[in-house]
Amino acid sequence: MPNGGLTPDCVHCKYFRGRPYTDENPYCEYHKINLAYQIRVFCSQYINPEQGEDNWLGLEVDLEQLQSDMMYLWLGGYEVKFFYVPLISITEYQNWTSEKFLDELEKLSEKYRGS
């Protein structure tokens, strides 16, 4: 992907349903939760629908380093290669709004600026 490398995220996962592909709210069929935001976030269960188990995430991340109960966030881009940071537990993420996600994105972007 352009601008810093690969960033597998919910909207590109085989378990994703909803906008922008349908009129439904963004939803994860694996975790059975609504998604506050579908780009730049992912979990350890990400699977690219076109590649199956041989997916982008395994190219960018040591999958054994990911916790099964966490959501992660991609930071970086443009001149900075994308890197991921823990975001929040999946249980808590299911209650977030898009505004809450954007607030946390801003905080984490500031925290990791220059990393």
Side-chain angles (χ1 to χ4, degrees):
M1 290 190 164
N3 301 330
L6 298 173
T7 56
D9 53 20
C10 290
V11 77
H12 297 106
C13 181
K14 91 173 203 176
Y15 298 116
F16 176 82
R17 298 293 176 264
R19 286 189 295 270
Y21 306 115
T22 70
D23 288 335
E24 299 169 341
N25 288 330
Y27 185 79
C28 174
E29 289 189 334
Y30 184 86
H31 295 291
K32 309 286 188 236
I33 64 170
N34 289 320
L35 299 168
Y37 227 72
Q38 63 268 33
I39 58 172
R40 289 202 172 221
V41 292
F42 69 98
C43 75
S44 66
Q45 299 303 313
Y46 172 90
I47 295 178
N48 182 309
E50 296 172 3
Q51 296 172 311
E53 298 295 330
D54 182 28
N55 67 63
W56 291 340
L57 192 57
L59 298 174
E60 292 296 305
V61 174
D62 179 356
L63 298 176
E64 293 181 13
Q65 298 289 321
L66 300 179
Q67 296 177 29
S68 63
D69 63 342
M70 289 292 296
M71 293 298 287
Y72 294 89
L73 174 68
W74 291 107
L75 295 175
Y78 301 101
E79 291 85 30
V80 177
K81 182 175 172 32
F82 281 110
F83 61 99
Y84 71 93
V85 297
L87 179 60
I88 194 83
S89 74
I90 292 168
T91 304
E92 293 178 72
Y93 186 72
Q94 72 180 335
N95 297 315
W96 278 18
T97 62
S98 57
E99 291 80 14
K100 173 70 172 163
F101 171 82
L102 293 171
D103 288 344
E104 291 301 314
L105 172 62
E106 185 177 339
K107 288 177 193 173
L108 288 170
S109 293
E110 187 61 35
K111 177 180 178 180
Y112 289 97
R113 192 171 314 278
S115 292

